[in-house]
Amino acid sequence: MDRIQIRGGRRLNGEIRISGAKNAALPLMVASLLTDEPLTLACVPHLTDISQLAEILAGLGVEITMNGNGHAEAAIGRVLKLHAKTITSTEAPYELVRKMRASFLVIGPLLARCHKAKVSLPGGCAIGTRPVDLHLKGLEAMGAQIELKEGYVYASAPGGLHGAHILFPFVSVGATENLMMAASIAKGTTIIENAASEPEIIDLGHCLQAMGAKIEGLGTRTLTIEGVERLKGTSHTVLPDRIETGTYLMAVAAAGGEVELVGTRADLLGGVIPLLESAGVHIQATNRGMRVARNGVHFTGVDVTTEPYPGFPTDLQAQLMALMATANGVSHISETIFENRFMHVPELMRMGADITIEHQTATVRGVERLHGAPVMATDLRASVSLIIAGLAAEGETIVNRVYHLDRGFERIEEKLSALGADIKRVKG
Ligand code: EPZ
């Protein structure tokens, strides 16, 4: 199994290009199921999650062609053309869905277009149990009959889905996406209250609008979707990855240096930039994105709680903790979105971090220096937090289970090497 080897202590300097957002690209690919015309997506990142979803969609009958897979083009991502001219199967099997929860999103579009679907329950994962009850209750309110049998959701809506008034008890990104897609071609109007307002939801909404959907309220907590008879194909560019952006901001802050992040947007990051600035990290908008610098002066601890957008994202919590491990002073980091997203803590402690956890809050007492160690993580964002720690640490860090990183960070070792980091992938 591949590993990443890092010799820490090098400053990062130069520029890197931020990729298209994984968590926008995945639902956008699923949206191709809503029309018999081709949907073309540009700036799709080269990641295993994307290939796995492509495999699931191909199994449903979507014809997928891909350009820009070469090395040079990889810098700006691939162009995917997805054509669901005829849906040949309405079944998403366990072997594929279990590998990636986002594939559960196919259920809404399949039900809306084909009036039936059989999709494996995704099951839990390392960061928590992650049920799909909100997705299912929403679809039931829209007229679907749902039966759970042998680990599968059997859903049908013989007369088609109809509009409904849905109030989520808490914010769910995936349930908002699933119902927004289904409602686009349901009969009548759907209102989703307490909807998610993440930039990836807005991106999906813009693409659906370009396909002919009638959606109001994008970026707010209330979405109104008036179903239309049919959607058409379109071309859409995936928005930049705010989580990758935040990750590199924190990597530079941890290792020191000055880097321009090209092709990204400050407005996608919600409260992240002000928080890092309050800790003493310099971030400046540029024509091409933003520049982050930490030269000499050390940064201070912060208190932060993960929240739905525009609050601090759970997908950057582990990276922030790695950064704060060497801050001046104490940080309190509370995780409110997932019940088990502190698996990076024991690994950071093996590198010398001083962290205690009580309930959902980690108290991080900044230490002078971390030291390299062999480490491993059980999810994507935790793995990258160990890379950040390794860049700032003295000595050698080996990060095991690299396949987690390949799910969500495009060519991470190449990007960091280009900035002067001593990092390489060790095969085997
Ligand atoms: C999306 O997951 C992201 N994934 C996650 O990124 C991200 O951490 C999460 O949103 C929160 O921002 C993708 O976009 C592909 P939720 P999602 O539904 O949609 C509970 C990464 O590292 N819940 O907003 O699955 C759920 O268990 C990944 O890129 C229910 O209880 O997240 C969680 O505690 C990890 N019932 C909370 O809601 C439901 O029916 C928020 O989950 C649905 C969710």
Side-chain angles (χ1 to χ4, degrees), residues 22-23 127 130-135 170 172-174 314-315 337-338 341 380-381:
K22 165 181 85 85
N23 288 348
I127 61 177
R130 300 182 79 183
V132 287
D133 52 327
L134 299 191
H135 302 239
F170 50 86
S172 162
V173 172
T314 173
D315 289 348
I337 308 291
F338 292 108
R341 214 176 193 183
L380 165 62
R381 312 301 177 186

mmCIF file with all atom_site columns, all heavy atoms in Angstrom, residues 22-23 127 130-135 170 172-174 314-315 337-338 341 380-381, ligand 1:
data_model
loop_
_atom_site.group_PDB
_atom_site.id
_atom_site.type_symbol
_atom_site.label_atom_id
_atom_site.label_alt_id
_atom_site.label_comp_id
_atom_site.label_asym_id
_atom_site.label_entity_id
_atom_site.label_seq_id
_atom_site.pdbx_PDB_ins_code
_atom_site.Cartn_x
_atom_site.Cartn_y
_atom_site.Cartn_z
_atom_site.occupancy
_atom_site.B_iso_or_equiv
_atom_site.pdbx_formal_charge
_atom_site.auth_seq_id
_atom_site.auth_comp_id
_atom_site.auth_asym_id
_atom_site.auth_atom_id
_atom_site.pdbx_PDB_model_num
ATOM   1   N N   . LYS A 1 22  ? -14.359 18.609 -5.177 1.00 0.00 ? 22  LYS A N   1
ATOM   2   C CA  . LYS A 1 22  ? -14.886 17.230 -5.162 1.00 0.00 ? 22  LYS A CA  1
ATOM   3   C C   . LYS A 1 22  ? -16.359 17.222 -4.776 1.00 0.00 ? 22  LYS A C   1
ATOM   4   O O   . LYS A 1 22  ? -17.183 16.585 -5.423 1.00 0.00 ? 22  LYS A O   1
ATOM   5   C CB  . LYS A 1 22  ? -14.093 16.385 -4.156 1.00 0.00 ? 22  LYS A CB  1
ATOM   6   C CG  . LYS A 1 22  ? -14.766 15.070 -3.800 1.00 0.00 ? 22  LYS A CG  1
ATOM   7   C CD  . LYS A 1 22  ? -13.991 14.269 -2.788 1.00 0.00 ? 22  LYS A CD  1
ATOM   8   C CE  . LYS A 1 22  ? -14.229 14.592 -1.339 1.00 0.00 ? 22  LYS A CE  1
ATOM   9   N NZ  . LYS A 1 22  ? -15.372 13.944 -0.699 1.00 0.00 ? 22  LYS A NZ  1
ATOM   10  N N   . ASN A 1 23  ? -16.713 17.921 -3.698 1.00 0.00 ? 23  ASN A N   1
ATOM   11  C CA  . ASN A 1 23  ? -18.062 17.825 -3.164 1.00 0.00 ? 23  ASN A CA  1
ATOM   12  C C   . ASN A 1 23  ? -19.096 18.607 -3.975 1.00 0.00 ? 23  ASN A C   1
ATOM   13  O O   . ASN A 1 23  ? -20.292 18.541 -3.686 1.00 0.00 ? 23  ASN A O   1
ATOM   14  C CB  . ASN A 1 23  ? -18.092 18.234 -1.690 1.00 0.00 ? 23  ASN A CB  1
ATOM   15  C CG  . ASN A 1 23  ? -17.438 17.169 -0.822 1.00 0.00 ? 23  ASN A CG  1
ATOM   16  O OD1 . ASN A 1 23  ? -17.178 16.063 -1.291 1.00 0.00 ? 23  ASN A OD1 1
ATOM   17  N ND2 . ASN A 1 23  ? -17.170 17.502 0.437  1.00 0.00 ? 23  ASN A ND2 1
ATOM   18  N N   . ILE A 1 127 ? -16.180 8.453  10.297 1.00 0.00 ? 127 ILE A N   1
ATOM   19  C CA  . ILE A 1 127 ? -16.446 9.701  11.033 1.00 0.00 ? 127 ILE A CA  1
ATOM   20  C C   . ILE A 1 127 ? -17.793 9.704  11.755 1.00 0.00 ? 127 ILE A C   1
ATOM   21  O O   . ILE A 1 127 ? -18.114 10.638 12.466 1.00 0.00 ? 127 ILE A O   1
ATOM   22  C CB  . ILE A 1 127 ? -16.313 10.949 10.128 1.00 0.00 ? 127 ILE A CB  1
ATOM   23  C CG1 . ILE A 1 127 ? -17.300 10.922 8.966  1.00 0.00 ? 127 ILE A CG1 1
ATOM   24  C CG2 . ILE A 1 127 ? -14.892 11.085 9.622  1.00 0.00 ? 127 ILE A CG2 1
ATOM   25  C CD1 . ILE A 1 127 ? -17.256 12.179 8.096  1.00 0.00 ? 127 ILE A CD1 1
ATOM   26  N N   . ARG A 1 130 ? -23.811 8.371  10.226 1.00 0.00 ? 130 ARG A N   1
ATOM   27  C CA  . ARG A 1 130 ? -24.273 9.002  8.989  1.00 0.00 ? 130 ARG A CA  1
ATOM   28  C C   . ARG A 1 130 ? -25.508 8.354  8.367  1.00 0.00 ? 130 ARG A C   1
ATOM   29  O O   . ARG A 1 130 ? -25.455 7.793  7.271  1.00 0.00 ? 130 ARG A O   1
ATOM   30  C CB  . ARG A 1 130 ? -23.133 9.079  7.977  1.00 0.00 ? 130 ARG A CB  1
ATOM   31  C CG  . ARG A 1 130 ? -21.962 9.883  8.511  1.00 0.00 ? 130 ARG A CG  1
ATOM   32  C CD  . ARG A 1 130 ? -20.845 10.014 7.511  1.00 0.00 ? 130 ARG A CD  1
ATOM   33  N NE  . ARG A 1 130 ? -21.108 11.038 6.498  1.00 0.00 ? 130 ARG A NE  1
ATOM   34  C CZ  . ARG A 1 130 ? -20.287 11.272 5.483  1.00 0.00 ? 130 ARG A CZ  1
ATOM   35  N NH1 . ARG A 1 130 ? -19.212 10.558 5.315  1.00 0.00 ? 130 ARG A NH1 1
ATOM   36  N NH2 . ARG A 1 130 ? -20.554 12.222 4.625  1.00 0.00 ? 130 ARG A NH2 1
ATOM   37  N N   . PRO A 1 131 ? -26.662 8.457  9.055  1.00 0.00 ? 131 PRO A N   1
ATOM   38  C CA  . PRO A 1 131 ? -27.895 7.904  8.482  1.00 0.00 ? 131 PRO A CA  1
ATOM   39  C C   . PRO A 1 131 ? -28.378 8.693  7.254  1.00 0.00 ? 131 PRO A C   1
ATOM   40  O O   . PRO A 1 131 ? -27.836 9.751  6.943  1.00 0.00 ? 131 PRO A O   1
ATOM   41  C CB  . PRO A 1 131 ? -28.907 8.029  9.618  1.00 0.00 ? 131 PRO A CB  1
ATOM   42  C CG  . PRO A 1 131 ? -28.322 8.949  10.618 1.00 0.00 ? 131 PRO A CG  1
ATOM   43  C CD  . PRO A 1 131 ? -26.857 9.100  10.335 1.00 0.00 ? 131 PRO A CD  1
ATOM   44  N N   . VAL A 1 132 ? -29.409 8.148  6.583  1.00 0.00 ? 132 VAL A N   1
ATOM   45  C CA  . VAL A 1 132 ? -29.975 8.831  5.411  1.00 0.00 ? 132 VAL A CA  1
ATOM   46  C C   . VAL A 1 132 ? -31.471 9.082  5.602  1.00 0.00 ? 132 VAL A C   1
ATOM   47  O O   . VAL A 1 132 ? -32.220 9.216  4.653  1.00 0.00 ? 132 VAL A O   1
ATOM   48  C CB  . VAL A 1 132 ? -29.725 8.036  4.105  1.00 0.00 ? 132 VAL A CB  1
ATOM   49  C CG1 . VAL A 1 132 ? -28.278 8.133  3.676  1.00 0.00 ? 132 VAL A CG1 1
ATOM   50  C CG2 . VAL A 1 132 ? -30.157 6.580  4.239  1.00 0.00 ? 132 VAL A CG2 1
ATOM   51  N N   . ASP A 1 133 ? -31.895 9.140  6.888  1.00 0.00 ? 133 ASP A N   1
ATOM   52  C CA  . ASP A 1 133 ? -33.325 9.276  7.168  1.00 0.00 ? 133 ASP A CA  1
ATOM   53  C C   . ASP A 1 133 ? -33.924 10.556 6.570  1.00 0.00 ? 133 ASP A C   1
ATOM   54  O O   . ASP A 1 133 ? -35.062 10.549 6.091  1.00 0.00 ? 133 ASP A O   1
ATOM   55  C CB  . ASP A 1 133 ? -33.578 9.211  8.688  1.00 0.00 ? 133 ASP A CB  1
ATOM   56  C CG  . ASP A 1 133 ? -32.726 10.184 9.467  1.00 0.00 ? 133 ASP A CG  1
ATOM   57  O OD1 . ASP A 1 133 ? -31.572 10.451 9.051  1.00 0.00 ? 133 ASP A OD1 1
ATOM   58  O OD2 . ASP A 1 133 ? -33.198 10.712 10.498 1.00 0.00 ? 133 ASP A OD2 1
ATOM   59  N N   . LEU A 1 134 ? -33.166 11.644 6.551  1.00 0.00 ? 134 LEU A N   1
ATOM   60  C CA  . LEU A 1 134 ? -33.733 12.890 6.017  1.00 0.00 ? 134 LEU A CA  1
ATOM   61  C C   . LEU A 1 134 ? -33.988 12.782 4.514  1.00 0.00 ? 134 LEU A C   1
ATOM   62  O O   . LEU A 1 134 ? -34.980 13.300 3.994  1.00 0.00 ? 134 LEU A O   1
ATOM   63  C CB  . LEU A 1 134 ? -32.807 14.083 6.278  1.00 0.00 ? 134 LEU A CB  1
ATOM   64  C CG  . LEU A 1 134 ? -32.495 14.441 7.733  1.00 0.00 ? 134 LEU A CG  1
ATOM   65  C CD1 . LEU A 1 134 ? -31.791 15.789 7.802  1.00 0.00 ? 134 LEU A CD1 1
ATOM   66  C CD2 . LEU A 1 134 ? -33.748 14.486 8.576  1.00 0.00 ? 134 LEU A CD2 1
ATOM   67  N N   . HIS A 1 135 ? -33.065 12.105 3.820  1.00 0.00 ? 135 HIS A N   1
ATOM   68  C CA  . HIS A 1 135 ? -33.267 11.884 2.376  1.00 0.00 ? 135 HIS A CA  1
ATOM   69  C C   . HIS A 1 135 ? -34.585 11.125 2.165  1.00 0.00 ? 135 HIS A C   1
ATOM   70  O O   . HIS A 1 135 ? -35.410 11.497 1.329  1.00 0.00 ? 135 HIS A O   1
ATOM   71  C CB  . HIS A 1 135 ? -32.150 11.020 1.788  1.00 0.00 ? 135 HIS A CB  1
ATOM   72  C CG  . HIS A 1 135 ? -30.765 11.552 1.941  1.00 0.00 ? 135 HIS A CG  1
ATOM   73  N ND1 . HIS A 1 135 ? -29.943 11.819 0.867  1.00 0.00 ? 135 HIS A ND1 1
ATOM   74  C CD2 . HIS A 1 135 ? -30.018 11.856 3.037  1.00 0.00 ? 135 HIS A CD2 1
ATOM   75  C CE1 . HIS A 1 135 ? -28.764 12.236 1.289  1.00 0.00 ? 135 HIS A CE1 1
ATOM   76  N NE2 . HIS A 1 135 ? -28.792 12.276 2.605  1.00 0.00 ? 135 HIS A NE2 1
ATOM   77  N N   . PHE A 1 170 ? -32.453 19.516 11.030 1.00 0.00 ? 170 PHE A N   1
ATOM   78  C CA  . PHE A 1 170 ? -31.105 20.112 11.052 1.00 0.00 ? 170 PHE A CA  1
ATOM   79  C C   . PHE A 1 170 ? -30.595 20.109 9.620  1.00 0.00 ? 170 PHE A C   1
ATOM   80  O O   . PHE A 1 170 ? -31.189 19.488 8.732  1.00 0.00 ? 170 PHE A O   1
ATOM   81  C CB  . PHE A 1 170 ? -30.164 19.344 11.996 1.00 0.00 ? 170 PHE A CB  1
ATOM   82  C CG  . PHE A 1 170 ? -30.158 17.859 11.764 1.00 0.00 ? 170 PHE A CG  1
ATOM   83  C CD1 . PHE A 1 170 ? -29.332 17.284 10.817 1.00 0.00 ? 170 PHE A CD1 1
ATOM   84  C CD2 . PHE A 1 170 ? -31.023 17.025 12.483 1.00 0.00 ? 170 PHE A CD2 1
ATOM   85  C CE1 . PHE A 1 170 ? -29.343 15.923 10.583 1.00 0.00 ? 170 PHE A CE1 1
ATOM   86  C CE2 . PHE A 1 170 ? -31.033 15.649 12.258 1.00 0.00 ? 170 PHE A CE2 1
ATOM   87  C CZ  . PHE A 1 170 ? -30.197 15.100 11.301 1.00 0.00 ? 170 PHE A CZ  1
ATOM   88  N N   . SER A 1 172 ? -28.680 19.331 6.352  1.00 0.00 ? 172 SER A N   1
ATOM   89  C CA  . SER A 1 172 ? -27.961 18.220 5.713  1.00 0.00 ? 172 SER A CA  1
ATOM   90  C C   . SER A 1 172 ? -27.638 18.610 4.271  1.00 0.00 ? 172 SER A C   1
ATOM   91  O O   . SER A 1 172 ? -28.538 18.936 3.477  1.00 0.00 ? 172 SER A O   1
ATOM   92  C CB  . SER A 1 172 ? -28.821 16.957 5.722  1.00 0.00 ? 172 SER A CB  1
ATOM   93  O OG  . SER A 1 172 ? -28.321 16.028 4.768  1.00 0.00 ? 172 SER A OG  1
ATOM   94  N N   . VAL A 1 173 ? -26.355 18.563 3.960  1.00 0.00 ? 173 VAL A N   1
ATOM   95  C CA  . VAL A 1 173 ? -25.904 18.906 2.603  1.00 0.00 ? 173 VAL A CA  1
ATOM   96  C C   . VAL A 1 173 ? -26.471 17.890 1.611  1.00 0.00 ? 173 VAL A C   1
ATOM   97  O O   . VAL A 1 173 ? -27.114 18.237 0.620  1.00 0.00 ? 173 VAL A O   1
ATOM   98  C CB  . VAL A 1 173 ? -24.348 18.909 2.559  1.00 0.00 ? 173 VAL A CB  1
ATOM   99  C CG1 . VAL A 1 173 ? -23.834 19.056 1.132  1.00 0.00 ? 173 VAL A CG1 1
ATOM   100 C CG2 . VAL A 1 173 ? -23.799 20.012 3.453  1.00 0.00 ? 173 VAL A CG2 1
ATOM   101 N N   . GLY A 1 174 ? -26.251 16.598 1.894  1.00 0.00 ? 174 GLY A N   1
ATOM   102 C CA  . GLY A 1 174 ? -26.649 15.553 0.951  1.00 0.00 ? 174 GLY A CA  1
ATOM   103 C C   . GLY A 1 174 ? -28.157 15.499 0.754  1.00 0.00 ? 174 GLY A C   1
ATOM   104 O O   . GLY A 1 174 ? -28.634 15.359 -0.378 1.00 0.00 ? 174 GLY A O   1
ATOM   105 N N   . THR A 1 314 ? -16.653 21.414 9.036  1.00 0.00 ? 314 THR A N   1
ATOM   106 C CA  . THR A 1 314 ? -16.119 20.195 9.656  1.00 0.00 ? 314 THR A CA  1
ATOM   107 C C   . THR A 1 314 ? -14.995 19.601 8.808  1.00 0.00 ? 314 THR A C   1
ATOM   108 O O   . THR A 1 314 ? -14.071 18.989 9.338  1.00 0.00 ? 314 THR A O   1
ATOM   109 C CB  . THR A 1 314 ? -17.255 19.158 9.853  1.00 0.00 ? 314 THR A CB  1
ATOM   110 O OG1 . THR A 1 314 ? -16.687 17.938 10.312 1.00 0.00 ? 314 THR A OG1 1
ATOM   111 C CG2 . THR A 1 314 ? -18.036 18.870 8.587  1.00 0.00 ? 314 THR A CG2 1
ATOM   112 N N   . ASP A 1 315 ? -15.050 19.828 7.487  1.00 0.00 ? 315 ASP A N   1
ATOM   113 C CA  . ASP A 1 315 ? -14.023 19.254 6.605  1.00 0.00 ? 315 ASP A CA  1
ATOM   114 C C   . ASP A 1 315 ? -12.666 19.949 6.744  1.00 0.00 ? 315 ASP A C   1
ATOM   115 O O   . ASP A 1 315 ? -11.698 19.540 6.095  1.00 0.00 ? 315 ASP A O   1
ATOM   116 C CB  . ASP A 1 315 ? -14.488 19.302 5.138  1.00 0.00 ? 315 ASP A CB  1
ATOM   117 C CG  . ASP A 1 315 ? -15.604 18.304 4.865  1.00 0.00 ? 315 ASP A CG  1
ATOM   118 O OD1 . ASP A 1 315 ? -15.854 17.432 5.713  1.00 0.00 ? 315 ASP A OD1 1
ATOM   119 O OD2 . ASP A 1 315 ? -16.242 18.409 3.794  1.00 0.00 ? 315 ASP A OD2 1
ATOM   120 N N   . ILE A 1 337 ? -20.798 18.533 13.858 1.00 0.00 ? 337 ILE A N   1
ATOM   121 C CA  . ILE A 1 337 ? -21.487 17.939 12.696 1.00 0.00 ? 337 ILE A CA  1
ATOM   122 C C   . ILE A 1 337 ? -21.439 16.413 12.752 1.00 0.00 ? 337 ILE A C   1
ATOM   123 O O   . ILE A 1 337 ? -22.441 15.742 12.540 1.00 0.00 ? 337 ILE A O   1
ATOM   124 C CB  . ILE A 1 337 ? -20.876 18.428 11.356 1.00 0.00 ? 337 ILE A CB  1
ATOM   125 C CG1 . ILE A 1 337 ? -20.810 19.965 11.320 1.00 0.00 ? 337 ILE A CG1 1
ATOM   126 C CG2 . ILE A 1 337 ? -21.652 17.876 10.163 1.00 0.00 ? 337 ILE A CG2 1
ATOM   127 C CD1 . ILE A 1 337 ? -22.124 20.683 11.238 1.00 0.00 ? 337 ILE A CD1 1
ATOM   128 N N   . PHE A 1 338 ? -20.271 15.856 13.026 1.00 0.00 ? 338 PHE A N   1
ATOM   129 C CA  . PHE A 1 338 ? -20.134 14.394 13.089 1.00 0.00 ? 338 PHE A CA  1
ATOM   130 C C   . PHE A 1 338 ? -19.718 13.978 14.493 1.00 0.00 ? 338 PHE A C   1
ATOM   131 O O   . PHE A 1 338 ? -18.945 14.675 15.155 1.00 0.00 ? 338 PHE A O   1
ATOM   132 C CB  . PHE A 1 338 ? -19.118 13.897 12.059 1.00 0.00 ? 338 PHE A CB  1
ATOM   133 C CG  . PHE A 1 338 ? -19.592 14.080 10.647 1.00 0.00 ? 338 PHE A CG  1
ATOM   134 C CD1 . PHE A 1 338 ? -19.035 15.041 9.832  1.00 0.00 ? 338 PHE A CD1 1
ATOM   135 C CD2 . PHE A 1 338 ? -20.624 13.302 10.139 1.00 0.00 ? 338 PHE A CD2 1
ATOM   136 C CE1 . PHE A 1 338 ? -19.489 15.226 8.531  1.00 0.00 ? 338 PHE A CE1 1
ATOM   137 C CE2 . PHE A 1 338 ? -21.086 13.468 8.842  1.00 0.00 ? 338 PHE A CE2 1
ATOM   138 C CZ  . PHE A 1 338 ? -20.518 14.438 8.032  1.00 0.00 ? 338 PHE A CZ  1
ATOM   139 N N   . ARG A 1 341 ? -15.331 12.541 14.805 1.00 0.00 ? 341 ARG A N   1
ATOM   140 C CA  . ARG A 1 341 ? -14.382 13.068 13.828 1.00 0.00 ? 341 ARG A CA  1
ATOM   141 C C   . ARG A 1 341 ? -13.109 13.581 14.492 1.00 0.00 ? 341 ARG A C   1
ATOM   142 O O   . ARG A 1 341 ? -12.544 14.607 14.073 1.00 0.00 ? 341 ARG A O   1
ATOM   143 C CB  . ARG A 1 341 ? -15.044 14.151 12.979 1.00 0.00 ? 341 ARG A CB  1
ATOM   144 C CG  . ARG A 1 341 ? -14.495 14.095 11.568 1.00 0.00 ? 341 ARG A CG  1
ATOM   145 C CD  . ARG A 1 341 ? -15.106 15.029 10.594 1.00 0.00 ? 341 ARG A CD  1
ATOM   146 N NE  . ARG A 1 341 ? -14.685 14.639 9.245  1.00 0.00 ? 341 ARG A NE  1
ATOM   147 C CZ  . ARG A 1 341 ? -14.984 15.280 8.157  1.00 0.00 ? 341 ARG A CZ  1
ATOM   148 N NH1 . ARG A 1 341 ? -15.737 16.358 8.196  1.00 0.00 ? 341 ARG A NH1 1
ATOM   149 N NH2 . ARG A 1 341 ? -14.543 14.865 6.988  1.00 0.00 ? 341 ARG A NH2 1
ATOM   150 N N   . LEU A 1 380 ? -10.355 10.926 4.978  1.00 0.00 ? 380 LEU A N   1
ATOM   151 C CA  . LEU A 1 380 ? -9.669  11.837 4.071  1.00 0.00 ? 380 LEU A CA  1
ATOM   152 C C   . LEU A 1 380 ? -9.074  13.075 4.750  1.00 0.00 ? 380 LEU A C   1
ATOM   153 O O   . LEU A 1 380 ? -7.894  13.389 4.596  1.00 0.00 ? 380 LEU A O   1
ATOM   154 C CB  . LEU A 1 380 ? -10.731 12.229 3.035  1.00 0.00 ? 380 LEU A CB  1
ATOM   155 C CG  . LEU A 1 380 ? -10.533 13.382 2.128  1.00 0.00 ? 380 LEU A CG  1
ATOM   156 C CD1 . LEU A 1 380 ? -9.329  13.145 1.255  1.00 0.00 ? 380 LEU A CD1 1
ATOM   157 C CD2 . LEU A 1 380 ? -11.790 13.538 1.262  1.00 0.00 ? 380 LEU A CD2 1
ATOM   158 N N   . ARG A 1 381 ? -9.912  13.800 5.495  1.00 0.00 ? 381 ARG A N   1
ATOM   159 C CA  . ARG A 1 381 ? -9.437  15.082 6.056  1.00 0.00 ? 381 ARG A CA  1
ATOM   160 C C   . ARG A 1 381 ? -8.464  14.833 7.203  1.00 0.00 ? 381 ARG A C   1
ATOM   161 O O   . ARG A 1 381 ? -7.555  15.626 7.427  1.00 0.00 ? 381 ARG A O   1
ATOM   162 C CB  . ARG A 1 381 ? -10.619 15.939 6.514  1.00 0.00 ? 381 ARG A CB  1
ATOM   163 C CG  . ARG A 1 381 ? -11.746 16.064 5.489  1.00 0.00 ? 381 ARG A CG  1
ATOM   164 C CD  . ARG A 1 381 ? -11.309 16.663 4.169  1.00 0.00 ? 381 ARG A CD  1
ATOM   165 N NE  . ARG A 1 381 ? -12.406 16.690 3.198  1.00 0.00 ? 381 ARG A NE  1
ATOM   166 C CZ  . ARG A 1 381 ? -12.296 17.051 1.927  1.00 0.00 ? 381 ARG A CZ  1
ATOM   167 N NH1 . ARG A 1 381 ? -11.122 17.416 1.431  1.00 0.00 ? 381 ARG A NH1 1
ATOM   168 N NH2 . ARG A 1 381 ? -13.339 17.055 1.125  1.00 0.00 ? 381 ARG A NH2 1
HETATM 169 C C1  . EPZ B 2 .   ? -21.316 16.326 2.973  1.00 0.00 ? 1   EPZ B C1  1
HETATM 170 O O1  . EPZ B 2 .   ? -21.642 15.050 3.518  1.00 0.00 ? 1   EPZ B O1  1
HETATM 171 C C2  . EPZ B 2 .   ? -19.892 16.223 2.503  1.00 0.00 ? 1   EPZ B C2  1
HETATM 172 N N1  . EPZ B 2 .   ? -19.806 15.201 1.480  1.00 0.00 ? 1   EPZ B N1  1
HETATM 173 C C3  . EPZ B 2 .   ? -18.980 15.911 3.690  1.00 0.00 ? 1   EPZ B C3  1
HETATM 174 O O2  . EPZ B 2 .   ? -17.632 15.882 3.226  1.00 0.00 ? 1   EPZ B O2  1
HETATM 175 C C4  . EPZ B 2 .   ? -19.147 17.019 4.723  1.00 0.00 ? 1   EPZ B C4  1
HETATM 176 O O3  . EPZ B 2 .   ? -18.345 16.720 5.847  1.00 0.00 ? 1   EPZ B O3  1
HETATM 177 C C5  . EPZ B 2 .   ? -20.611 17.155 5.125  1.00 0.00 ? 1   EPZ B C5  1
HETATM 178 O O4  . EPZ B 2 .   ? -21.430 17.359 3.950  1.00 0.00 ? 1   EPZ B O4  1
HETATM 179 C C6  . EPZ B 2 .   ? -20.877 18.307 6.078  1.00 0.00 ? 1   EPZ B C6  1
HETATM 180 O O5  . EPZ B 2 .   ? -20.457 19.503 5.494  1.00 0.00 ? 1   EPZ B O5  1
HETATM 181 C C7  . EPZ B 2 .   ? -20.120 15.477 0.243  1.00 0.00 ? 1   EPZ B C7  1
HETATM 182 O O6  . EPZ B 2 .   ? -20.528 16.586 -0.104 1.00 0.00 ? 1   EPZ B O6  1
HETATM 183 C C8  . EPZ B 2 .   ? -19.944 14.404 -0.783 1.00 0.00 ? 1   EPZ B C8  1
HETATM 184 P P1  . EPZ B 2 .   ? -24.700 15.969 5.870  1.00 0.00 ? 1   EPZ B P1  1
HETATM 185 P P2  . EPZ B 2 .   ? -23.157 14.671 3.838  1.00 0.00 ? 1   EPZ B P2  1
HETATM 186 O O7  . EPZ B 2 .   ? -25.869 15.240 5.305  1.00 0.00 ? 1   EPZ B O7  1
HETATM 187 O O8  . EPZ B 2 .   ? -24.030 15.267 2.820  1.00 0.00 ? 1   EPZ B O8  1
HETATM 188 C C9  . EPZ B 2 .   ? -26.481 13.777 9.753  1.00 0.00 ? 1   EPZ B C9  1
HETATM 189 C C10 . EPZ B 2 .   ? -15.479 14.998 2.966  1.00 0.00 ? 1   EPZ B C10 1
HETATM 190 O O9  . EPZ B 2 .   ? -14.510 14.768 3.728  1.00 0.00 ? 1   EPZ B O9  1
HETATM 191 N N2  . EPZ B 2 .   ? -27.523 13.232 8.850  1.00 0.00 ? 1   EPZ B N2  1
HETATM 192 O O10 . EPZ B 2 .   ? -24.668 17.453 5.801  1.00 0.00 ? 1   EPZ B O10 1
HETATM 193 O O11 . EPZ B 2 .   ? -23.203 13.193 4.031  1.00 0.00 ? 1   EPZ B O11 1
HETATM 194 C C11 . EPZ B 2 .   ? -25.098 13.241 9.416  1.00 0.00 ? 1   EPZ B C11 1
HETATM 195 O O12 . EPZ B 2 .   ? -24.877 11.968 9.998  1.00 0.00 ? 1   EPZ B O12 1
HETATM 196 C C12 . EPZ B 2 .   ? -16.896 14.658 3.369  1.00 0.00 ? 1   EPZ B C12 1
HETATM 197 O O13 . EPZ B 2 .   ? -15.345 15.486 1.826  1.00 0.00 ? 1   EPZ B O13 1
HETATM 198 C C13 . EPZ B 2 .   ? -28.570 12.503 9.406  1.00 0.00 ? 1   EPZ B C13 1
HETATM 199 O O14 . EPZ B 2 .   ? -28.630 12.271 10.623 1.00 0.00 ? 1   EPZ B O14 1
HETATM 200 O O15 . EPZ B 2 .   ? -23.338 15.389 5.228  1.00 0.00 ? 1   EPZ B O15 1
HETATM 201 C C14 . EPZ B 2 .   ? -24.231 14.329 9.973  1.00 0.00 ? 1   EPZ B C14 1
HETATM 202 O O16 . EPZ B 2 .   ? -24.068 14.149 11.347 1.00 0.00 ? 1   EPZ B O16 1
HETATM 203 C C15 . EPZ B 2 .   ? -16.971 13.965 4.683  1.00 0.00 ? 1   EPZ B C15 1
HETATM 204 N N3  . EPZ B 2 .   ? -29.549 12.040 8.550  1.00 0.00 ? 1   EPZ B N3  1
HETATM 205 C C16 . EPZ B 2 .   ? -25.024 15.607 9.708  1.00 0.00 ? 1   EPZ B C16 1
HETATM 206 O O17 . EPZ B 2 .   ? -26.373 15.163 9.517  1.00 0.00 ? 1   EPZ B O17 1
HETATM 207 C C17 . EPZ B 2 .   ? -29.521 12.273 7.213  1.00 0.00 ? 1   EPZ B C17 1
HETATM 208 O O18 . EPZ B 2 .   ? -30.441 11.820 6.491  1.00 0.00 ? 1   EPZ B O18 1
HETATM 209 C C18 . EPZ B 2 .   ? -24.613 16.397 8.462  1.00 0.00 ? 1   EPZ B C18 1
HETATM 210 O O19 . EPZ B 2 .   ? -24.499 15.515 7.372  1.00 0.00 ? 1   EPZ B O19 1
HETATM 211 C C19 . EPZ B 2 .   ? -28.465 13.031 6.669  1.00 0.00 ? 1   EPZ B C19 1
HETATM 212 C C20 . EPZ B 2 .   ? -27.478 13.513 7.527  1.00 0.00 ? 1   EPZ B C20 1
#
